[in-house]
Amino acid sequence: MFRRATTLLRRPLNAAASRRFSTDLPSETAADNSFVEAWKKASPNIDPPKTPLSYLKPRPSIPSSLPTKLTVNFVLPYSSQLSSKEVDMVIVPATTGQMGVLPGHVATIAELKPGVLSVHEGNDVTKYFVSSGFAFIHANSVADVIAVEAVPLDQIDANLVQKGLQDFTQKLNSATTDLEKAEAQIGVDVHSALNSALSG
């Protein structure tokens, strides 16, 4: 094991620099010409089927200067909360901790945990409680936030949160199977996050 580690440490640093990253790829998607040519040889009278490349939109180019605004798309399975909204900053509740996203942020994917998503636009701050989901931050200053459930923070009843926390804590203490314990633990985690969001 130690021999392998020393050989890895002796590897030249510029070897990693030769690897291509997704941001190095061209922003226009290339047509799948080789497939189309092969199809026309095999079936000249039938139009070729569409490949996944034909459904992909070209990736927007990365601006040469740092933009002043961050474009945010915030969607739920049943509705769109924000669509191409230009804001100053978004703070997402990532599993690794609160993550602030400003214009020009490095491309990142973050898993969301139950917590508060804050959208900052000038002096206005809109807060949502999200249950879980993912945040996709792109190199062109676009952030896509996909949540399973989200509610504006001012629409949450603090009394119902306290009652729910007590109920799920009681269920956790009386759970006998692993499934009951897991379900109760999820309820405790969500209601604890709701409680701390409302109190803080």
Side-chain angles (χ1 to χ4, degrees):
M1 184 165 116
F2 291 115
R3 289 183 202 153
R4 174 102 174 109
T6 56
T7 58
L8 288 174
L9 290 174
R10 278 186 265 146
R11 185 182 292 172
L13 292 176
N14 58 4
S18 65
R19 242 185 329 186
R20 291 175 58 93
F21 294 99
S22 63
T23 53
D24 297 334
L25 299 175
S27 55
E28 302 85 20
T29 55
D32 199 355
N33 293 333
S34 60
F35 174 78
V36 172
E37 288 172 14
W39 181 271
K40 286 184 179 178
K41 287 179 187 175
S43 302
N45 298 331
I46 301 174
D47 290 335
K50 293 188 181 254
T51 62
L53 278 178
S54 61
Y55 293 103
L56 293 174
K57 293 181 183 176
R59 183 173 50 81
S61 59
I62 299 170
S64 57
S65 63
L66 190 66
T68 58
K69 294 287 186 180
L70 175 73
T71 304
V72 177
N73 299 305
F74 178 32
V75 294
L76 305 174
Y78 50 86
S79 70
S80 175
Q81 298 293 322
L82 300 173
S83 179
S84 298
K85 177 93 170 167
E86 291 194 344
V87 300
D88 296 320
M89 177 176 66
V90 171
I91 300 175
V92 297
T95 54
T96 55
Q98 294 286 78
M99 184 172 81
V101 181
L102 293 165
H105 195 284
V106 67
T108 308
I109 298 175
E111 183 182 359
L112 303 181
K113 66 178 183 179
V116 177
L117 175 122
S118 304
V119 180
H120 298 255
E121 187 179 5
N123 293 331
D124 297 333
V125 179
T126 308
K127 295 184 177 184
Y128 299 88
F129 182 83
V130 295
S131 62
S132 61
F134 286 91
F136 301 91
I137 293 90
H138 307 281
N140 58 352
S141 292
V142 174
D144 296 323
V145 180
I146 294 96
V148 175
E149 276 294 336
V151 178
L153 205 57
D154 56 2
Q155 294 181 9
I156 298 173
D157 186 351
N159 295 327
L160 290 176
V161 171
Q162 290 292 334
K163 183 180 181 309
L165 183 58
Q166 290 172 356
D167 291 346
F168 279 107
T169 304
Q170 186 178 8
K171 285 180 183 178
L172 183 62
N173 293 335
S174 63
T176 55
T177 66
D178 288 342
L179 178 62
E180 289 174 352
K181 288 178 185 175
E183 288 175 345
Q185 186 63 54
I186 290 169
V188 168
D189 291 346
V190 171
H191 283 80
S192 297
L194 273 165
N195 195 28
S196 62
L198 292 172
S199 61

mmCIF file with all atom_site columns, all heavy atoms in Angstrom, residues 175-186:
data_model
loop_
_atom_site.group_PDB
_atom_site.id
_atom_site.type_symbol
_atom_site.label_atom_id
_atom_site.label_alt_id
_atom_site.label_comp_id
_atom_site.label_asym_id
_atom_site.label_entity_id
_atom_site.label_seq_id
_atom_site.pdbx_PDB_ins_code
_atom_site.Cartn_x
_atom_site.Cartn_y
_atom_site.Cartn_z
_atom_site.occupancy
_atom_site.B_iso_or_equiv
_atom_site.pdbx_formal_charge
_atom_site.auth_seq_id
_atom_site.auth_comp_id
_atom_site.auth_asym_id
_atom_site.auth_atom_id
_atom_site.pdbx_PDB_model_num
ATOM 1  N N   . ALA A 1 175 ? -40.634 3.262  18.164 1.00 0.00 ? 175 ALA A N   1
ATOM 2  C CA  . ALA A 1 175 ? -40.475 2.452  16.948 1.00 0.00 ? 175 ALA A CA  1
ATOM 3  C C   . ALA A 1 175 ? -39.839 1.107  17.283 1.00 0.00 ? 175 ALA A C   1
ATOM 4  O O   . ALA A 1 175 ? -38.925 1.012  18.098 1.00 0.00 ? 175 ALA A O   1
ATOM 5  C CB  . ALA A 1 175 ? -39.613 3.200  15.939 1.00 0.00 ? 175 ALA A CB  1
ATOM 6  N N   . THR A 1 176 ? -40.348 0.055  16.608 1.00 0.00 ? 176 THR A N   1
ATOM 7  C CA  . THR A 1 176 ? -39.824 -1.294 16.864 1.00 0.00 ? 176 THR A CA  1
ATOM 8  C C   . THR A 1 176 ? -39.064 -1.849 15.662 1.00 0.00 ? 176 THR A C   1
ATOM 9  O O   . THR A 1 176 ? -38.131 -2.609 15.829 1.00 0.00 ? 176 THR A O   1
ATOM 10 C CB  . THR A 1 176 ? -40.976 -2.256 17.218 1.00 0.00 ? 176 THR A CB  1
ATOM 11 O OG1 . THR A 1 176 ? -41.947 -2.216 16.181 1.00 0.00 ? 176 THR A OG1 1
ATOM 12 C CG2 . THR A 1 176 ? -41.618 -1.866 18.544 1.00 0.00 ? 176 THR A CG2 1
ATOM 13 N N   . THR A 1 177 ? -39.456 -1.460 14.458 1.00 0.00 ? 177 THR A N   1
ATOM 14 C CA  . THR A 1 177 ? -38.767 -1.974 13.265 1.00 0.00 ? 177 THR A CA  1
ATOM 15 C C   . THR A 1 177 ? -37.825 -0.910 12.712 1.00 0.00 ? 177 THR A C   1
ATOM 16 O O   . THR A 1 177 ? -37.951 0.280  13.037 1.00 0.00 ? 177 THR A O   1
ATOM 17 C CB  . THR A 1 177 ? -39.771 -2.373 12.165 1.00 0.00 ? 177 THR A CB  1
ATOM 18 O OG1 . THR A 1 177 ? -40.432 -1.189 11.694 1.00 0.00 ? 177 THR A OG1 1
ATOM 19 C CG2 . THR A 1 177 ? -40.789 -3.372 12.694 1.00 0.00 ? 177 THR A CG2 1
ATOM 20 N N   . ASP A 1 178 ? -36.908 -1.346 11.855 1.00 0.00 ? 178 ASP A N   1
ATOM 21 C CA  . ASP A 1 178 ? -35.968 -0.408 11.232 1.00 0.00 ? 178 ASP A CA  1
ATOM 22 C C   . ASP A 1 178 ? -36.695 0.595  10.346 1.00 0.00 ? 178 ASP A C   1
ATOM 23 O O   . ASP A 1 178 ? -36.321 1.766  10.281 1.00 0.00 ? 178 ASP A O   1
ATOM 24 C CB  . ASP A 1 178 ? -34.924 -1.167 10.410 1.00 0.00 ? 178 ASP A CB  1
ATOM 25 C CG  . ASP A 1 178 ? -33.923 -1.901 11.278 1.00 0.00 ? 178 ASP A CG  1
ATOM 26 O OD1 . ASP A 1 178 ? -33.816 -1.551 12.477 1.00 0.00 ? 178 ASP A OD1 1
ATOM 27 O OD2 . ASP A 1 178 ? -33.250 -2.818 10.763 1.00 0.00 ? 178 ASP A OD2 1
ATOM 28 N N   . LEU A 1 179 ? -37.734 0.134  9.650  1.00 0.00 ? 179 LEU A N   1
ATOM 29 C CA  . LEU A 1 179 ? -38.504 1.021  8.779  1.00 0.00 ? 179 LEU A CA  1
ATOM 30 C C   . LEU A 1 179 ? -39.197 2.113  9.592  1.00 0.00 ? 179 LEU A C   1
ATOM 31 O O   . LEU A 1 179 ? -39.148 3.294  9.218  1.00 0.00 ? 179 LEU A O   1
ATOM 32 C CB  . LEU A 1 179 ? -39.535 0.223  7.977  1.00 0.00 ? 179 LEU A CB  1
ATOM 33 C CG  . LEU A 1 179 ? -40.435 1.040  7.051  1.00 0.00 ? 179 LEU A CG  1
ATOM 34 C CD1 . LEU A 1 179 ? -39.604 1.740  5.976  1.00 0.00 ? 179 LEU A CD1 1
ATOM 35 C CD2 . LEU A 1 179 ? -41.503 0.161  6.428  1.00 0.00 ? 179 LEU A CD2 1
ATOM 36 N N   . GLU A 1 180 ? -39.813 1.735  10.708 1.00 0.00 ? 180 GLU A N   1
ATOM 37 C CA  . GLU A 1 180 ? -40.479 2.727  11.564 1.00 0.00 ? 180 GLU A CA  1
ATOM 38 C C   . GLU A 1 180 ? -39.471 3.730  12.114 1.00 0.00 ? 180 GLU A C   1
ATOM 39 O O   . GLU A 1 180 ? -39.751 4.937  12.179 1.00 0.00 ? 180 GLU A O   1
ATOM 40 C CB  . GLU A 1 180 ? -41.207 2.032  12.716 1.00 0.00 ? 180 GLU A CB  1
ATOM 41 C CG  . GLU A 1 180 ? -42.442 1.260  12.293 1.00 0.00 ? 180 GLU A CG  1
ATOM 42 C CD  . GLU A 1 180 ? -43.058 0.472  13.445 1.00 0.00 ? 180 GLU A CD  1
ATOM 43 O OE1 . GLU A 1 180 ? -42.432 0.401  14.526 1.00 0.00 ? 180 GLU A OE1 1
ATOM 44 O OE2 . GLU A 1 180 ? -44.164 -0.058 13.263 1.00 0.00 ? 180 GLU A OE2 1
ATOM 45 N N   . LYS A 1 181 ? -38.295 3.232  12.506 1.00 0.00 ? 181 LYS A N   1
ATOM 46 C CA  . LYS A 1 181 ? -37.253 4.130  13.023 1.00 0.00 ? 181 LYS A CA  1
ATOM 47 C C   . LYS A 1 181 ? -36.775 5.106  11.948 1.00 0.00 ? 181 LYS A C   1
ATOM 48 O O   . LYS A 1 181 ? -36.585 6.298  12.210 1.00 0.00 ? 181 LYS A O   1
ATOM 49 C CB  . LYS A 1 181 ? -36.060 3.321  13.540 1.00 0.00 ? 181 LYS A CB  1
ATOM 50 C CG  . LYS A 1 181 ? -36.339 2.585  14.822 1.00 0.00 ? 181 LYS A CG  1
ATOM 51 C CD  . LYS A 1 181 ? -35.154 1.762  15.257 1.00 0.00 ? 181 LYS A CD  1
ATOM 52 C CE  . LYS A 1 181 ? -35.491 0.921  16.484 1.00 0.00 ? 181 LYS A CE  1
ATOM 53 N NZ  . LYS A 1 181 ? -34.404 0.018  16.853 1.00 0.00 ? 181 LYS A NZ  1
ATOM 54 N N   . ALA A 1 182 ? -36.574 4.604  10.715 1.00 0.00 ? 182 ALA A N   1
ATOM 55 C CA  . ALA A 1 182 ? -36.104 5.460  9.624  1.00 0.00 ? 182 ALA A CA  1
ATOM 56 C C   . ALA A 1 182 ? -37.132 6.537  9.287  1.00 0.00 ? 182 ALA A C   1
ATOM 57 O O   . ALA A 1 182 ? -36.788 7.717  9.111  1.00 0.00 ? 182 ALA A O   1
ATOM 58 C CB  . ALA A 1 182 ? -35.788 4.613  8.394  1.00 0.00 ? 182 ALA A CB  1
ATOM 59 N N   . GLU A 1 183 ? -38.412 6.138  9.191  1.00 0.00 ? 183 GLU A N   1
ATOM 60 C CA  . GLU A 1 183 ? -39.470 7.109  8.890  1.00 0.00 ? 183 GLU A CA  1
ATOM 61 C C   . GLU A 1 183 ? -39.585 8.162  9.986  1.00 0.00 ? 183 GLU A C   1
ATOM 62 O O   . GLU A 1 183 ? -39.736 9.354  9.713  1.00 0.00 ? 183 GLU A O   1
ATOM 63 C CB  . GLU A 1 183 ? -40.812 6.387  8.696  1.00 0.00 ? 183 GLU A CB  1
ATOM 64 C CG  . GLU A 1 183 ? -40.893 5.594  7.414  1.00 0.00 ? 183 GLU A CG  1
ATOM 65 C CD  . GLU A 1 183 ? -42.171 4.781  7.291  1.00 0.00 ? 183 GLU A CD  1
ATOM 66 O OE1 . GLU A 1 183 ? -42.878 4.609  8.321  1.00 0.00 ? 183 GLU A OE1 1
ATOM 67 O OE2 . GLU A 1 183 ? -42.465 4.320  6.175  1.00 0.00 ? 183 GLU A OE2 1
ATOM 68 N N   . ALA A 1 184 ? -39.518 7.720  11.240 1.00 0.00 ? 184 ALA A N   1
ATOM 69 C CA  . ALA A 1 184 ? -39.608 8.663  12.355 1.00 0.00 ? 184 ALA A CA  1
ATOM 70 C C   . ALA A 1 184 ? -38.394 9.589  12.392 1.00 0.00 ? 184 ALA A C   1
ATOM 71 O O   . ALA A 1 184 ? -38.528 10.784 12.661 1.00 0.00 ? 184 ALA A O   1
ATOM 72 C CB  . ALA A 1 184 ? -39.738 7.906  13.670 1.00 0.00 ? 184 ALA A CB  1
ATOM 73 N N   . GLN A 1 185 ? -37.205 9.060  12.074 1.00 0.00 ? 185 GLN A N   1
ATOM 74 C CA  . GLN A 1 185 ? -35.993 9.882  12.076 1.00 0.00 ? 185 GLN A CA  1
ATOM 75 C C   . GLN A 1 185 ? -36.063 10.959 10.999 1.00 0.00 ? 185 GLN A C   1
ATOM 76 O O   . GLN A 1 185 ? -35.654 12.099 11.222 1.00 0.00 ? 185 GLN A O   1
ATOM 77 C CB  . GLN A 1 185 ? -34.746 9.012  11.872 1.00 0.00 ? 185 GLN A CB  1
ATOM 78 C CG  . GLN A 1 185 ? -33.440 9.778  11.996 1.00 0.00 ? 185 GLN A CG  1
ATOM 79 C CD  . GLN A 1 185 ? -33.254 10.364 13.387 1.00 0.00 ? 185 GLN A CD  1
ATOM 80 O OE1 . GLN A 1 185 ? -33.318 9.662  14.374 1.00 0.00 ? 185 GLN A OE1 1
ATOM 81 N NE2 . GLN A 1 185 ? -33.018 11.664 13.451 1.00 0.00 ? 185 GLN A NE2 1
ATOM 82 N N   . ILE A 1 186 ? -36.598 10.606 9.824  1.00 0.00 ? 186 ILE A N   1
ATOM 83 C CA  . ILE A 1 186 ? -36.764 11.601 8.763  1.00 0.00 ? 186 ILE A CA  1
ATOM 84 C C   . ILE A 1 186 ? -37.715 12.702 9.229  1.00 0.00 ? 186 ILE A C   1
ATOM 85 O O   . ILE A 1 186 ? -37.459 13.894 9.030  1.00 0.00 ? 186 ILE A O   1
ATOM 86 C CB  . ILE A 1 186 ? -37.275 10.933 7.463  1.00 0.00 ? 186 ILE A CB  1
ATOM 87 C CG1 . ILE A 1 186 ? -36.176 10.059 6.859  1.00 0.00 ? 186 ILE A CG1 1
ATOM 88 C CG2 . ILE A 1 186 ? -37.738 11.978 6.455  1.00 0.00 ? 186 ILE A CG2 1
ATOM 89 C CD1 . ILE A 1 186 ? -36.648 9.168  5.736  1.00 0.00 ? 186 ILE A CD1 1
#
